[in-house]
Each structure stands twice: as C-alpha cells, then as structure tokens.
Coordinates of all heavy atoms in Angstrom, one line a residue:
G171 N 9.7 4.4 2.5 CA 8.5 4.7 3.4 C 7.1 4.4 2.8 O 6.1 4.7 3.4
Y172 N 7.2 3.7 1.7 CA 5.9 3.5 1.1 C 4.9 2.5 1.9 O 3.7 2.7 1.9 CB 6.0 2.8 -0.3 CG 6.8 3.3 -1.4 CD1 7.6 2.7 -2.2 CD2 6.9 4.9 -1.4 CE1 8.5 3.3 -3.2 CE2 7.7 5.3 -2.4 CZ 8.4 4.8 -3.3 OH 9.1 5.3 -4.2
L173 N 5.6 1.7 2.7 CA 4.9 0.7 3.5 C 3.9 1.4 4.4 O 2.6 1.1 4.4 CB 5.9 -0.3 4.2 CG 5.4 -1.4 4.7 CD1 5.2 -2.5 3.6 CD2 6.4 -2.1 5.8
F174 N 4.4 2.2 5.3 CA 3.5 2.9 6.2 C 2.6 3.9 5.5 O 1.5 4.1 5.9 CB 4.4 3.6 7.3 CG 4.8 2.7 8.5 CD1 5.0 1.3 8.2 CD2 5.0 3.2 9.6 CE1 5.4 0.6 9.3 CE2 5.4 2.5 10.7 CZ 5.7 1.1 10.5
E175 N 3.1 4.6 4.5 CA 2.3 5.5 3.8 C 1.0 4.9 3.1 O -0.1 5.3 3.3 CB 3.2 6.3 2.8 CG 2.5 7.5 2.0 CD 1.9 8.5 2.9 OE1 2.5 8.7 4.0 OE2 1.2 9.4 2.4
L176 N 1.2 3.8 2.5 CA 0.2 3.1 1.8 C -0.9 2.6 2.8 O -2.0 2.6 2.5 CB 0.6 2.1 0.9 CG 1.0 2.8 -0.6 CD1 2.1 1.9 -1.2 CD2 -0.1 3.1 -1.3
E177 N -0.3 2.0 3.9 CA -1.2 1.6 5.1 C -2.0 2.7 5.6 O -3.2 2.7 5.8 CB -0.4 1.0 6.2 CG -1.1 0.2 7.1 CD -1.9 0.8 8.2 OE1 -1.5 2.0 8.6 OE2 -3.0 0.4 8.7
R178 N -1.3 3.9 5.7 CA -2.2 5.1 6.3 C -3.1 5.5 5.2 O -4.1 6.2 5.7 CB -1.0 6.2 6.5 CG -1.6 7.5 7.0 CD -0.4 8.3 7.7 NE 0.8 8.5 6.7 CZ 2.0 8.5 7.1 NH1 2.2 8.3 8.4 NH2 3.0 8.6 6.2
R179 N -2.9 5.4 4.0 CA -3.8 5.8 2.9 C -4.9 4.7 2.7 O -5.9 5.1 2.0 CB -3.1 6.1 1.6 CG -2.2 7.2 1.6 CD -1.5 7.5 0.2 NE -0.5 8.5 0.3 CZ -0.1 9.1 -0.7 NH1 -0.4 8.8 -2.0 NH2 1.0 10.1 -0.5
G180 N -4.8 3.6 3.4 CA -5.8 2.7 3.3 C -5.7 1.5 2.3 O -6.7 0.8 1.9
Y181 N -4.4 1.2 1.7 CA -4.2 0.4 0.6 C -3.3 -0.8 1.0 O -3.0 -1.5 0.0 CB -3.7 1.2 -0.6 CG -4.7 2.2 -1.2 CD1 -4.5 3.5 -1.0 CD2 -5.7 1.7 -1.9 CE1 -5.3 4.4 -1.5 CE2 -6.7 2.6 -2.4 CZ -6.4 4.0 -2.2 OH -7.3 5.0 -2.8
L182 N -3.1 -1.0 2.2 CA -2.1 -1.9 2.6 C -2.4 -2.6 4.0 O -2.9 -1.6 4.8 CB -0.6 -1.4 2.6 CG 0.4 -2.5 2.7 CD1 1.7 -2.2 1.8 CD2 1.1 -2.5 4.1
Q183 N -2.3 -3.8 4.3 CA -2.6 -4.3 5.7 C -1.4 -4.3 6.5 O -0.4 -4.7 6.3 CB -3.1 -5.7 5.4 CG -3.6 -6.4 6.8 CD -4.1 -7.7 6.6 OE1 -3.4 -8.6 6.1 NE2 -5.3 -8.0 7.0
A184 N -1.5 -3.6 7.7 CA -0.5 -3.7 8.6 C -0.5 -5.1 9.2 O -1.5 -5.7 9.5 CB -0.8 -2.6 9.8
G185 N 0.8 -5.5 9.5 CA 0.9 -6.8 10.1 C 1.6 -7.7 9.0 O 2.8 -8.0 9.2
S186 N 0.9 -8.1 8.0 CA 1.5 -9.0 7.1 C 2.3 -8.0 6.1 O 3.5 -8.5 5.8 CB 0.3 -9.5 6.0 OG -0.5 -8.7 5.4
F187 N 2.0 -6.7 5.9 CA 2.9 -5.7 5.2 C 3.4 -6.4 3.8 O 4.5 -6.3 3.6 CB 4.0 -5.2 6.1 CG 3.6 -4.3 7.2 CD1 3.9 -4.7 8.4 CD2 2.9 -3.2 6.9 CE1 3.7 -3.7 9.4 CE2 2.7 -2.3 7.8 CZ 3.1 -2.7 9.1
V188 N 2.3 -6.9 3.0 CA 2.7 -7.4 1.7 C 2.2 -6.3 0.7 O 1.1 -6.0 0.8 CB 2.1 -8.8 1.6 CG1 2.4 -9.2 0.1 CG2 2.6 -9.8 2.5
P189 N 3.0 -5.9 -0.2 CA 2.6 -4.9 -1.3 C 1.7 -5.3 -2.3 O 2.0 -5.1 -3.5 CB 4.0 -4.3 -1.7 CG 4.8 -5.5 -1.8 CD 4.4 -6.3 -0.5
E190 N 0.6 -5.9 -2.0 CA -0.4 -6.3 -2.9 C -1.0 -5.2 -3.7 O -1.6 -5.3 -4.8 CB -1.6 -7.2 -2.3 CG -1.1 -8.4 -1.6 CD -2.1 -9.0 -0.8 OE1 -3.0 -9.8 -1.4 OE2 -2.2 -8.8 0.3
V191 N -0.7 -4.0 -3.2 CA -1.3 -2.8 -3.8 C -0.9 -2.6 -5.2 O -1.5 -2.1 -6.1 CB -0.8 -1.4 -3.1 CG1 0.6 -1.4 -3.1 CG2 -1.5 -0.2 -3.6
A192 N 0.3 -3.2 -5.7 CA 0.8 -3.0 -7.1 C -0.2 -3.8 -8.2 O -0.3 -3.2 -9.1 CB 2.1 -3.7 -7.1
L193 N -0.9 -4.8 -7.5 CA -2.0 -5.3 -8.4 C -3.3 -5.0 -8.1 O -4.1 -4.9 -9.0 CB -1.7 -7.0 -8.2 CG -0.5 -7.7 -8.6 CD1 -0.4 -9.1 -8.1 CD2 -0.3 -7.5 -10.0
D194 N -3.6 -4.8 -6.8 CA -5.0 -4.4 -6.4 C -5.3 -3.0 -6.7 O -6.5 -2.6 -7.0 CB -5.2 -4.8 -4.8 CG -5.0 -6.1 -4.6 OD1 -5.1 -6.9 -5.5 OD2 -4.9 -6.3 -3.4
N195 N -4.5 -2.1 -6.5 CA -4.7 -0.6 -6.7 C -3.5 0.1 -7.3 O -2.8 1.0 -6.7 CB -5.0 0.0 -5.3 CG -6.3 -0.4 -4.8 OD1 -7.4 0.1 -5.1 ND2 -6.3 -1.3 -3.8
P196 N -3.3 -0.2 -8.4 CA -2.0 0.4 -9.2 C -2.0 1.8 -9.1 O -0.9 2.4 -9.1 CB -2.0 -0.3 -10.6 CG -3.4 -0.7 -10.7 CD -4.0 -1.1 -9.5
E197 N -3.0 2.5 -9.3 CA -3.1 3.9 -9.4 C -2.7 4.6 -8.1 O -2.1 5.5 -8.0 CB -4.5 4.4 -9.8 CG -4.8 4.1 -11.3 CD -3.7 4.7 -12.3 OE1 -3.3 5.8 -12.0 OE2 -3.4 4.0 -13.1
A198 N -3.1 3.9 -7.0 CA -2.8 4.4 -5.7 C -1.3 4.3 -5.5 O -0.5 5.1 -4.8 CB -3.4 3.6 -4.5
L199 N -0.7 3.1 -6.0 CA 0.8 3.0 -5.9 C 1.5 4.1 -6.8 O 2.5 4.6 -6.3 CB 1.2 1.5 -6.3 CG 2.7 1.3 -6.2 CD1 3.3 1.7 -4.9 CD2 3.0 -0.1 -6.7
K200 N 1.0 4.3 -8.0 CA 1.6 5.2 -8.9 C 1.6 6.7 -8.2 O 2.6 7.5 -8.2 CB 1.0 5.3 -10.3 CG 1.3 4.1 -11.2 CD 0.6 4.2 -12.6 CE 1.1 5.3 -13.3 NZ 0.5 5.4 -14.5

C-alpha cells in the first residue's frame, strides 16, 4: 500500500505512479 500512502503524504504523483520517492525523498520513504 505504499503507492497510495505516499501519494496521500504528497511524495508521489497519481497517474504515472512511479516510485521516484526513493531518490527524491528517501527519508519520506524510510
């Protein structure tokens, strides 16, 4: 469920749904 959760937290774009957060916001992913 990380996909929707990180979109809800503001760190992922709905639609493309690509987990760039690992590089862009690693602390948010952790």
Side-chain angles (χ1 to χ4, degrees):
Y172 304 147
L173 198 75
F174 276 30
E175 181 69 11
L176 281 156
E177 195 278 333
R178 184 164 47 219
R179 295 185 186 194
Y181 295 102
L182 187 143
Q183 184 181 57
S186 60
F187 283 125
V188 178
E190 297 174 82
V191 63
L193 297 175
D194 295 345
N195 291 284
E197 289 305 316
L199 180 55
K200 283 182 69 175

